[in-house]
């Protein structure tokens, strides 16, 4: 990859081609519980390199506005959230959830001046326990998102987020790279309560050289990883990638389906949203307990923050003896930090001019190409793939198929499931 191509793919600030593309999608911004009640404390939010403030007003309306006061640039994080607006704590200018200035108490009454003062603002809507925003032009906003995990009843779902200290792209690329599972996660797979016991795990561990086939879906990609079952059939793990950065991990047994949304904070940090959902049943008490304890693809956090307890400042609590005696392939504990540790180790933005891609990187290669194409075509007025809710209502699949069939056709009913259909899983 040339350096310019890497820049094109990894920069998502205002005015960049990839930034403009990301701004056409509804993206997770906050957990709903972060703004728990009317007039609760406002929150700083950094997304796509923009510094914003989120708040819930007296009437329960949600606002996401420029962090800095239109008067002289004070952070509205210091503001008073009261009587349907956020009041700057310096000279008392007050803004409503749309960013409109509604009061300038420091000046003689001047409605015109007040009206002229409007902060940049974005919509904030609640769905699936998450507050979503769409930071593009208002007249180009797509319908609300319908990813399955956000649409199932609340008892069927668990959502967490963690701060990952690197560019979104290298994090997301881990999410569509099925071949690392047999190495990086090899031991964790057999002991983690959200993974263990599935027949599919045996195939994962038996065949370390999966064959990849990648098929374009309307909203992204179906990434098929094929392994031999040992009895003349193929075990397929089919990951969903929905543009721009949503992934769904193929299920294991009856465990809930895992997925991620990789949302850029700025070019060197991202939010790793991690979801588990079951289409057919509520999560069990035991599952929820494990999820809350940071098992599966979730992670224990430093209390009061979204920074993992194991992080780059403590070398991810690397355990060299576990690495040596077989307790852990990498020595880092848990799927999420195994992933985050290797991905953050690439540096804040991986230098892709120095990489050497091989056939098992096929999913990554095609995803990059599709992102570039969508960003380029956006300039010509083409609506990006993955913005239509029908393209988001897809599911990851694990399935045994006969040899010689095209996985995307043979598994189509499972990849785009009808309402109320069971997981296709091994
Ligand atoms: S800086 Fe906000 S009111 Fe003056
Ligand atoms: Fe992983």
């Amino acid at each position: 990859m040339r350096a310019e191509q890497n820049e094109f793919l990894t920069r998502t600030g205002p005015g960049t081609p990839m930034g403009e593309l990301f701004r056409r999608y509804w993206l997770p911004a906050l957990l709903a519980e972060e703004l728990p009640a009317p007039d609760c404390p406002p929150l700083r939010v950094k997304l796509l390199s923009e510094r914003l403030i989120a708040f819930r007003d007296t009437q329960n309306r949600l606002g996401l506005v420029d962090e800095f006061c239109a008067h002289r640039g004070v952070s509205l994080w210091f503001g008073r959230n009261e009587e349907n607006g956020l009041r700057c704590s310096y000279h008392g200018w007050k803004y409503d959830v749309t960013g409109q200035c509604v009061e300038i108490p420091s000046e003689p009454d001047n409605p015109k001046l007040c009206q002229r003062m409007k902060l940049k603002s974005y919509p904030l809507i609640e769905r699936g326990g998450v507050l979503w925003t769409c930071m593009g032009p208002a007249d180009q906003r797509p319908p609300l998102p319908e990813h399955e995990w956000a649409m199932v009843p609340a008892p069927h779902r668990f959502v967490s987020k963690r701060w990952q200290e690197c560019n979104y792209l290298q994090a997301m690329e881990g999410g569509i790279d099925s071949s690392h599972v047999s190495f990086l996660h090899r031991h964790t797979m057999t002991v983690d309560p959200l993974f263990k016991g599935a027949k599919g795990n045996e195939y994962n561990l038996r065949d370390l050289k999966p064959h990849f086939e990648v098929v374009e879906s309307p909203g992204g990609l179906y990434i098929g990883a094929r392994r031999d079952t040992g009895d003349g059939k193929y075990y397929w793990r089919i990951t969903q990638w929905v543009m721009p950065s949503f992934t769904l991990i193929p299920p294991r047994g009856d465990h809930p389906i895992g997925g991620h949304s990789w949302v850029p904070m700025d070019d060197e940090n991202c939010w790793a949203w991690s979801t588990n959902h079951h289409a057919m049943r509520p999560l069990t008490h035991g599952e929820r307990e494990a999820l809350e304890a940071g098992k599966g693809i979730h992670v224990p956090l430093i209390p009061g923050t979204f920074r993992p307890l194991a992080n780059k400042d403590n070398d991810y609590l690397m355990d060299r003896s576990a690495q040596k005696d077989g307790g852990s392939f990498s020595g880092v504990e848990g799927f999420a930090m195994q992933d985050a540790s290797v991905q953050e180790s690439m540096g804040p933005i991986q230098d892709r001019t120095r990489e050497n891609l091989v056939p098992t990187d096929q999913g990554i290669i095609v995803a990059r190409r599709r992102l570039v194409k969508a960003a380029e075509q956006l300039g010509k007025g083409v609506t990006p793939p993955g913005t239509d809710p029908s393209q988001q209502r897809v599911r990851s699949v694990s399935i045994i198929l006969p040899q010689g069939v095209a996985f995307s056709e043979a598994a189509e009913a499972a990849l785009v499931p009808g309402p109320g259909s069971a997981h296709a899983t091994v």
Side-chain angles (χ1 to χ4, degrees):
M1 182 177 276
R2 295 195 314 275
E4 315 85 80
Q5 294 171 312
N6 200 28
E7 289 278 301
F8 187 99
L9 273 162
T10 52
R11 304 284 177 189
T12 58
T16 60
M18 204 49 65
E20 291 308 303
L21 180 67
F22 266 84
R23 282 167 173 77
R24 293 305 181 92
Y25 296 87
W26 285 99
L27 301 172
L30 293 165
L31 288 163
E33 70 211 36
E34 291 181 80
L35 289 179
D39 290 338
C40 62
L43 287 177
R44 297 186 187 93
V45 181
K46 195 172 189 197
L47 286 175
L48 306 178
S49 300
E50 294 186 42
R51 289 178 63 173
L52 305 165
I53 286 285
F55 67 105
R56 197 185 277 275
D57 79 2
T58 316
Q59 289 180 51
N60 227 358
R61 290 174 300 201
L62 293 161
L64 184 61
V65 303
D66 194 332
E67 177 177 346
F68 303 102
C69 181
H71 180 213
R72 276 168 43 212
V74 164
S75 171
L76 294 170
W77 182 80
F78 294 94
R80 303 168 59 90
N81 187 11
E82 59 189 15
E83 293 158 352
N84 286 316
L86 193 55
R87 191 185 290 284
C88 179
S89 60
Y90 206 8
H91 314 91
W93 292 27
K94 183 174 172 184
Y95 304 90
D96 70 12
V97 286
T98 70
Q100 179 63 53
C101 182
V102 291
E103 224 181 279
I104 301 189
S106 57
E107 297 295 308
D109 202 23
N110 185 346
K112 280 215 175 94
L113 174 70
C114 193
Q115 212 172 359
R116 275 213 318 276
M117 300 299 147
K118 175 143 187 348
L119 299 174
K120 172 176 72 182
S121 79
Y122 301 116
L124 198 58
I125 65 109
E126 183 164 353
R127 175 161 283 189
V130 170
L131 305 182
W132 302 72
T133 189
C134 184
M135 295 166 61
D139 57 346
Q140 302 288 338
R141 218 166 267 155
L144 297 181
E146 294 193 18
H147 303 274
E148 187 176 59
W149 61 263
M151 302 305 283
V152 294
H156 292 224
R157 167 182 61 239
F158 182 82
V159 183
S160 74
K161 70 169 192 182
R162 65 178 162 81
W163 167 28
Q164 182 156 333
E165 297 174 61
C166 70
N167 183 261
Y168 85 96
L169 186 64
Q170 67 215 53
M172 185 191 90
E173 288 178 348
I176 53 181
D177 156 26
S178 206
S179 88
H180 78 273
V181 176
S182 311
F183 298 95
L184 182 64
H185 304 313
R186 101 178 264 121
H187 299 284
T188 314
M189 196 160 63
T190 56
V191 295
D192 187 278
L194 277 315
F195 283 71
K196 70 179 182 190
K199 177 79 183 152
N201 298 352
E202 292 171 27
Y203 303 131
N204 254 106
L205 296 175
R206 186 210 312 258
D207 186 351
L208 303 184
K209 298 184 172 62
H211 166 79
F212 271 75
E213 284 179 25
V214 181
V215 174
E216 284 204 6
S217 66
L221 298 175
Y222 303 142
I223 300 159
R226 190 189 79 192
R227 291 175 169 86
D228 261 313
T229 57
D231 57 3
K233 296 208 174 91
Y234 288 141
Y235 168 63
W236 283 93
R237 293 183 59 73
I238 310 170
T239 299
Q240 290 278 3
W241 175 62
V242 178
M243 290 182 66
S245 57
F246 297 91
T247 55
L248 286 173
I249 304 163
R252 295 180 188 276
D254 191 45
H255 295 303
I257 294 178
H260 290 103
S261 317
W262 313 95
V263 181
M265 265 185 236
D266 54 30
D267 293 340
E268 302 192 346
N269 296 276
C270 67
W271 289 113
W273 286 86
S274 306
T275 62
N276 275 105
H277 77 279
H278 202 296
M280 305 304 287
R281 61 166 176 82
L283 305 184
T284 65
H285 179 69
E287 282 168 346
R288 199 165 284 281
E289 224 171 40
L291 293 163
E292 273 161 10
K295 299 292 183 191
I297 55 175
H298 307 271
V299 79
L301 299 168
I302 297 173
T305 77
F306 293 100
R307 195 179 200 210
L309 269 175
N311 57 57
K312 73 175 179 187
D313 290 339
N314 54 29
D315 278 329
Y316 309 91
L317 306 174
M318 154 73 82
D319 181 347
R320 288 287 178 200
S321 56
Q323 188 184 43
K324 201 154 218 141
D325 70 21
S328 166
F329 190 79
S330 84
V332 173
E333 196 180 321
F335 291 93
M337 293 326 291
Q338 287 161 2
D339 286 323
S341 59
V342 297
Q343 291 157 7
E344 291 179 2
S345 79
M346 298 164 169
I349 303 179
Q350 186 203 344
D351 178 359
R352 292 183 175 76
T353 64
R354 299 175 50 169
E355 68 185 1
N356 294 286
L357 298 180
V358 291
T360 46
D361 295 315
Q362 186 65 9
I364 291 169
I365 295 166
V366 184
R368 289 177 188 173
R369 221 181 276 149
R370 202 130 195 232
L371 281 172
V372 169
K373 188 170 160 205
E376 285 173 350
Q377 292 203 323
L378 187 61
K380 300 178 191 139
V382 179
T383 303
T387 48
D388 189 301
S390 69
Q391 300 168 354
Q392 300 160 355
R393 291 194 297 262
V394 293
R395 206 185 272 164
S396 54
V397 164
S398 59
I399 194 168
I400 307 278
L401 293 175
Q403 296 187 0
V405 302
F407 84 85
S408 58
E409 289 167 25
E412 194 184 357
L415 289 164
V416 190
S421 51
H423 298 179
T425 183
V426 179

